[in-house]
Amino acid sequence: MRYRIEKRGFFVLLLLALIAASFYFYSLGTKGLLNQEQSEVDVVKEGKVKSESAKGQESVSSKKNVENKESVVFHKGNDLGNNKKPEKPLDTSKTEVEPVKQKEASPVSDTSGSKTPILTSEQSKAAYNNFSVVIDPGHQQKANLEKEPVGPGSSETKVKVTGGTSGIVTGKPEYVLALEASLILGDLLEKRGVKVIYTRSTHNVNLSNRERAEIANQQKADLFIRIHADGSTDRNVRGLSILTPAENDPYTKAIYQDSLRASQDILDETKKNAALKVNGLSYRGDLSGFNWSKVPATLVEMGFMSNPTEDKNLSDPVYLTNLLTNVADGIIRYADYKK
Ligand SMILES: [Zn+2]
């Protein structure tokens, strides 16, 4: 009898031990999953830190880093290029923006050596979460030479999306630099609470300039900003310029004033950066990406990739981040004006 009680007691203990052990292993398993998710974010950070620390190195390596980073950041999302309808990129871009948002305290600014504070005390008081910016990284892996109307109802047509320029020294295509820069700008804006949507987050897309503007329209963005770099047959030509809709452009009458204000604010901020050569504003009535936009639009030509110095500078993460900090400052100034 006593033996049986002891035996029963032993089994009860064994059962309790088993239950305890299974709880323990279950909690380990959950932790393991969490660690896995965090490590993806860490990889992103690592990629960024690497690309930041690649200052002064050949652009090839920084290009590699950008490509790495991209594949890590966006591997969960769908390729925008697979979507024919403009609605779809919106949804996928929303989900693709998510991982970028999760990168809290992203090292872009922390390791950039930028002297400009991300948040001034005045800015930190202000919340910009009602302000949304659609960032359009110019061009894409393959040009689409089909035509589309230059503006709503226009019989005049223009190529859907051109191939863009490339670096005279680095050999980097403009579409690669444009996305690299756009992601940095997006990070800087998100840190200030601005809602950021990208028209593309990979190179392998098929989005015309009209479709890019329509993404901004559908998002009812407060600002549509297009990121590009220039090219010239004259390698001595250099400098940053801001493109803004022309006053006499029939398609952009409604957005002319606000677009100009945003363009001017960005220009003024870039002028504060002694490392930049700033050329000024360029009024354009010939750009489909402006003409189809119903929301204020601006375009930053960050510099000339056909100029050896500027090409190398644009592949320097510190130079590029400082330039985009000026751009972000200009956007914040515009957001303040619109409040
Ligand atoms: Zn371009």
Side-chain angles (χ1 to χ4, degrees):
M1 190 68 177
R2 196 178 159 208
Y3 164 77
R4 283 181 75 176
I5 289 167
E6 270 177 13
K7 197 179 171 190
R8 195 179 292 168
F10 172 74
F11 278 118
V12 169
L13 276 174
L14 188 68
L15 197 66
L16 284 172
L18 275 172
I19 292 166
S22 62
F23 269 113
Y24 174 70
F25 283 115
Y26 174 75
S27 72
L28 266 189
T30 319
K31 260 190 196 167
L33 281 175
L34 282 175
N35 284 340
Q36 214 172 20
E37 274 171 19
Q38 279 163 359
S39 73
E40 283 177 11
V41 177
D42 289 340
V43 175
V44 173
K45 284 181 179 173
E46 218 177 272
K48 281 211 167 181
V49 172
K50 268 185 203 160
S51 93
E52 296 305 329
S53 63
K55 177 194 171 189
Q57 284 177 13
E58 284 301 307
S59 71
V60 182
S61 66
S62 97
K63 175 181 168 185
K64 215 165 119 192
N65 283 330
V66 171
E67 279 167 357
N68 285 344
K69 181 177 82 178
E70 206 190 316
S71 65
V72 175
V73 175
F74 298 108
H75 75 277
K76 281 179 183 170
N78 297 323
D79 188 335
L80 299 184
N82 294 337
N83 303 309
K84 296 283 187 288
K85 291 176 190 169
E87 285 85 7
K88 267 205 159 178
L90 296 181
D91 294 333
T92 52
S93 72
K94 266 185 192 166
T95 59
E96 286 180 47
V97 171
E98 253 15 281
V100 181
K101 278 180 180 164
Q102 282 167 14
K103 287 182 292 158
E104 244 179 82
S106 161
V108 169
S109 60
D110 306 329
T111 55
S112 67
S114 164
K115 301 277 189 297
T116 317
I118 290 304
L119 281 173
T120 64
S121 57
E122 196 190 342
Q123 284 166 349
S124 63
K125 279 179 214 155
Y128 296 101
N129 43 11
N130 288 326
F131 194 84
S132 65
V133 175
V134 166
I135 303 178
D136 177 38
H139 309 280
Q140 59 196 28
Q141 200 158 16
K142 278 184 195 159
N144 183 346
L145 302 179
E146 288 169 28
K147 303 267 182 106
E148 65 185 1
V150 293
S154 176
S155 56
E156 192 189 334
T157 59
K158 209 177 161 185
V159 165
K160 283 186 170 180
V161 58
T162 58
T165 187
S166 61
I168 193 166
V169 178
T170 62
K172 181 185 284 187
E174 183 186 343
Y175 66 80
V176 171
L177 175 66
L179 180 56
E180 187 180 347
S182 295
L183 294 174
I184 294 172
L185 176 63
D187 270 355
L188 291 168
L189 290 172
E190 281 180 339
K191 279 198 186 111
R192 294 166 178 193
V194 172
K195 186 190 173 196
V196 174
I197 300 111
Y198 301 94
T199 56
R200 70 174 177 97
S201 51
T202 62
H203 300 316
N204 185 25
V205 299
N206 186 14
L207 281 173
S208 76
N209 286 319
R210 171 188 175 170
E211 286 167 335
R212 291 163 193 246
E214 282 173 341
I215 289 175
N217 296 343
Q218 282 160 17
Q219 288 290 320
K220 296 184 170 60
D222 293 297
L223 184 65
F224 176 42
I225 182 163
R226 310 170 62 197
I227 303 296
H228 285 253
D230 257 325
S232 169
T233 48
D234 181 354
R235 54 189 280 159
N236 294 313
V237 177
R238 64 187 190 95
L240 171 149
S241 34
I242 310 290
L243 277 49
T244 197
E247 187 168 14
N248 55 2
D249 180 358
Y251 305 109
T252 51
K253 275 191 161 42
I255 61 164
Y256 168 74
Q257 282 297 344
D258 277 343
S259 300
L260 180 59
R261 175 76 191 215
S263 300
Q264 191 68 58
D265 283 341
I266 294 166
L267 187 76
D268 288 349
E269 290 300 323
T270 56
K271 280 179 179 170
K272 294 178 180 172
N273 185 341
L276 295 178
K277 182 183 187 293
V278 179
N279 292 336
L281 283 184
S282 177
Y283 296 83
R284 302 288 292 264
D286 60 326
L287 304 178
S288 324
F290 281 168
N291 293 344
W292 282 98
S293 184
K294 291 178 168 35
V295 299
T298 184
L299 188 155
V300 181
E301 293 280 10
M302 299 183 289
F304 280 81
M305 297 183 90
S306 45
N307 177 271
T309 308
E310 228 161 38
D311 177 31
K312 279 186 277 185
N313 281 344
L314 290 168
S315 277
D316 172 352
V318 174
Y319 179 95
L320 187 62
T321 304
N322 284 343
L323 184 162
L324 294 162
T325 303
N326 300 138
V327 174
D329 286 342
I331 293 172
I332 293 296
R333 253 173 77 166
Y334 175 71
D336 283 334
Y337 160 76
K338 289 304 286 180
K339 266 185 181 172

